[in-house]
Amino acid sequence: MTCLPAQTEKKLGLVIDLDTCVGCQACVTACKEWNAGGHMAPLTDIDPYGGHADGVWFNRVHSYEHTTEQGGRTVNFPRSCLHCEQPACVTVCPTGASYKRASDGIVLVDEDKCIGCKLCSWACPYGAREFDTDVGVMKKCTLCVDRIYNDNLAVEDRVPACVAACPTSARHFGDLGDPASAISQLVEERGGVALMPELGYRPTNRYLPPRARGERAAKVDAPALEPIRGEGGFLGWIDRMLSN
């Protein structure tokens, strides 16, 4: 089985704001586009224009209806590898294909060593592993390792593709091992949480919970509109039918 580094120099990861994520799928599309030629390329597509499209996706967005005392709301939940500090997907790997880097804490897969046994996908409780049936190996989010260290890109562009594409700035990237970093301070300020911490895998990524509706609702001072008077005739009949 594969061993983990005793400690890492950095803890690079993502912070995702569930309050501002609108579920537009821009992060999903940007991730697919960049990684189609990136570190784990290609990302296989199966029957992309047919009725049973499938393939490899490093990032998926799930939408849920959440009901509170203030009413209901839609919460969009992006899901990808959390780059855990104690990743079961690494320790269960029989060939050393899954490994965690000591330099930055990123969890990667060495395709040359992967035998496609799928033990890592069974061990991961977050469903972050994707098996590429065409190549026969396991693939996963790399935090765009070939992008964040790319000296040919401007400094501001050296972030994962999903972060760069987010139109609402709901995704943030940085060193969560540095308490003074902007991303760590954001987590502290907003009360960021780890996903299922009770499992003991210590995920690096954090989620910022949705704000209470009272904090977000705009104050409207305009007087309430008067009720619409019932009209007679055919239009009035339609209005009464639709109102029932």
Side-chain angles (χ1 to χ4, degrees), residues 83-148:
H83 300 277
C84 302
E85 293 185 49
Q86 297 290 326
C89 61
V90 170
T91 55
V92 78
C93 181
T95 66
S98 290
Y99 64 100
K100 185 174 180 66
R101 306 202 319 179
S103 60
D104 51 22
I106 297 177
V107 177
L108 295 174
V109 176
D110 185 340
E111 292 189 54
D112 292 333
K113 295 180 180 179
C114 181
I115 57 175
C117 66
K118 301 183 182 179
L119 283 176
C120 59
S121 64
W122 296 336
C124 175
Y126 306 109
R129 296 270 170 150
E130 296 270 331
F131 186 71
D132 192 326
T133 55
D134 269 7
V135 185
V137 299
M138 197 63 66
K139 297 183 177 182
K140 61 175 293 297
C141 164
T142 68
L143 281 181
C144 291
V145 68
D146 53 340
R147 180 184 176 109
I148 61 177

Side-chain angles (χ1 to χ4, degrees), residues 30-43 58 142 144 146 161:
C31 171
K32 183 82 167 182
E33 188 274 335
W34 176 266
N35 287 289
H39 180 74
M40 297 295 292
L43 302 189
F58 291 168
T142 68
C144 291
D146 53 340

Side-chain angles (χ1 to χ4, degrees), residues 14 26-27 30 144 147 156-169 171-173:
L14 299 172
C27 58
C144 291
R147 180 184 176 109
E156 60 270 20
D157 293 330
R158 296 177 198 170
V159 295
C162 61
V163 175
C166 183
T168 62
S169 298
R171 303 177 73 92
H172 308 267
F173 170 72

Side-chain angles (χ1 to χ4, degrees), residues 62-80:
H62 307 276
S63 297
Y64 303 93
E65 292 301 318
H66 179 56
T67 302
T68 66
E69 294 180 356
Q70 290 78 31
R73 66 175 296 173
T74 300
V75 177
N76 301 293
F77 186 83
R79 175 178 59 85
S80 61

